[in-house]
Amino acid sequence: MKLTDDEREVLLAEIGQALDQVRSPQMQAVYGELLSAVDRSEVPDDLQEPLQNLLEIGLESGRIRKVHQADGETAALRVYRRTPRGRAIQASADAVNQALQALQGHTLEQLNVSPHGPGAYSISAVTDQGTLLVRVDRHGVRLHSVEVG
């Protein structure tokens, strides 16, 4: 994965901070390799998993936005979306959006959001022709079921 200058700047700071915090020699080695790769503006496939994990923590906690402001968060999000988990989340969102497009032209009778557990929600859309149930949690958004009729 190639990095732009603004992505590189945010990642160097985040990885450097993480490297200062980890005590495991194995993780220090991984973050050291990752830091070198980011310094070259090129993250190889085998280092994308530790990068995505680091970005998830920084983005979910709000740390990246707090430290690097909105522009830094945007750069980190661009990188995250190119990681394996980021691409999978985008694919699931695309699938849900495609399913939601099928509702166009239908009469929306009911729309509900209900908690499905800690940090997890179900969204149901009831139309004159059926029901669509979407689940949203920390792993993304996915189509749970479709009932026609």
Side-chain angles (χ1 to χ4, degrees), residues 88-117:
I89 288 171
Q90 184 61 56
S92 69
D94 291 345
V96 170
N97 285 330
Q98 186 175 8
L100 290 171
Q101 286 178 353
L103 299 179
Q104 287 181 332
H106 295 214
T107 301
L108 184 62
E109 295 176 353
Q110 190 176 21
L111 186 62
N112 291 314
V113 175
S114 51
H116 189 65

Side-chain angles (χ1 to χ4, degrees), residues 2 15 40 50 73 104 113 119 124 128 148:
K2 291 195 180 294
I15 297 164
R40 294 187 306 273
E73 180 183 48
Q104 287 181 332
V113 175
S124 64
D128 57 337
V148 180

Side-chain angles (χ1 to χ4, degrees), residues 55-90:
L55 287 171
E56 284 174 346
I57 292 166
L59 290 165
E60 286 179 3
S61 69
R63 177 190 158 23
I64 291 176
R65 185 176 185 92
K66 182 179 178 183
V67 172
H68 304 283
Q69 308 300 313
D71 290 343
E73 180 183 48
T74 300
L77 281 167
R78 280 196 319 265
V79 173
Y80 180 74
R81 288 181 183 127
R82 296 193 315 263
T83 67
R85 202 162 20 245
R87 288 190 308 268
I89 288 171
Q90 184 61 56

Side-chain angles (χ1 to χ4, degrees), residues 1 27 30-31 34 43-57 80 82-85 87:
M1 166 191 325
M27 286 308 297
V30 169
Y31 283 151
L34 186 55
V43 179
D45 291 347
D46 65 323
L47 291 175
Q48 287 188 22
E49 185 177 351
L51 177 60
Q52 83 186 358
N53 294 340
L54 183 69
L55 287 171
E56 284 174 346
I57 292 166
Y80 180 74
R82 296 193 315 263
T83 67
R85 202 162 20 245
R87 288 190 308 268

Side-chain angles (χ1 to χ4, degrees), residues 112-116 120-124 133-136 144:
N112 291 314
V113 175
S114 51
H116 189 65
Y121 302 89
S122 293
I123 303 169
S124 64
L133 183 63
V134 175
R135 294 272 168 89
V136 181
H144 184 70

